[in-house]
Amino acid sequence: MIAAGAILSYLHGSLSPEAEVAVTTFQAFRQDLLGYLKKCSSGKELIEKGFESDVELSAAYNVSGCVPLFTDNAYVNSR
């Protein structure tokens, strides 16, 4: 939900009630994404299974200039 809210927060136009909830959730947790992701059940499960670096990666926000584009069954940089 947090990831969906992050994406939706950049889109223009009207949002469904569900989309508004996602955006509001993202905005509420934006200042400490990693902290909250580590506390949620999915984050805890990933950490227990040895995938803490995946949780850390999922908390990285606006750190890449790459915009992936799905072309010919593969993702490529759209730039």
Side-chain angles (χ1 to χ4, degrees):
M1 181 184 316
I2 291 173
I7 294 167
L8 290 165
S9 70
Y10 283 92
L11 300 179
H12 302 288
S14 61
L15 298 175
S16 69
E18 296 84 359
E20 287 181 15
V21 169
V23 170
T24 301
T25 301
F26 164 68
Q27 291 170 340
F29 298 129
R30 182 177 180 177
Q31 297 305 315
D32 186 19
L33 287 175
L34 181 57
Y36 287 105
L37 292 175
K38 284 184 170 184
K39 289 188 261 186
C40 74
S41 58
S42 298
K44 289 179 185 178
E45 183 179 339
L46 285 169
I47 291 168
E48 287 175 11
K49 292 182 178 185
F51 295 101
E52 185 167 358
S53 62
D54 288 353
V55 177
E56 292 168 356
L57 181 62
S58 70
Y61 174 68
N62 271 351
V63 297
S64 176
C66 175
V67 178
L69 181 64
F70 193 66
T71 304
D72 297 326
N73 292 321
Y75 287 101
V76 297
N77 190 343
S78 64
R79 292 184 178 186

